[in-house]
Amino acid sequence: MRYKLTFIAGAAVGFVIGARAGRERYEQLVRAGQAFVQNPAVRNAAESAAQQSRTAAVRAADTVVVKVGPRLPEPLAEKVRAMRNGSAPEDDWGTSNT
């Protein structure tokens, strides 16, 4: 999902940079983008998606531990333990932190 959003953002930036409609169109696109990002529904959806992805990551980590167990490489095992303990660093991408 993160890569899809990155692609969409890149496409939007490319369109803005490549737009030949002039400064007015650029300003219009910037205002529309700011209005979209600051929309409470969009913020709530982003926060909800971030929380769901964290929950899915913890479930996936549990599944990996059950299936792979002690054969897990140590650096990866440390990351899995950190996620299961809730001490993994938070990813603030896409959340408003409000």
Side-chain angles (χ1 to χ4, degrees):
M1 182 69 177
R2 183 175 186 173
Y3 297 111
K4 286 182 183 179
L5 292 175
T6 303
F7 174 78
I8 291 169
V13 169
F15 177 77
V16 170
I17 291 172
R20 303 209 177 200
R23 187 73 179 173
E24 287 180 37
R25 180 67 177 151
Y26 170 77
E27 293 295 333
Q28 181 185 15
L29 290 170
V30 168
R31 282 191 306 272
Q34 289 172 344
F36 179 78
V37 170
Q38 294 187 4
N39 184 339
V42 172
R43 287 180 175 243
N44 289 339
E47 289 175 11
S48 175
Q51 183 61 38
Q52 287 176 357
S53 66
R54 287 185 197 105
T55 302
V58 169
R59 273 191 254 132
D62 289 339
T63 302
V64 167
V65 168
V66 167
K67 292 190 180 210
V68 179
R71 297 177 300 189
L72 203 60
E74 189 55 35
L76 185 58
E78 289 176 22
K79 289 185 187 244
V80 169
R81 279 193 294 274
M83 268 183 27
R84 292 177 78 193
N85 294 336
S87 62
E90 284 287 323
D91 178 19
D92 291 336
W93 190 83
T95 60
S96 67
N97 292 328
T98 56

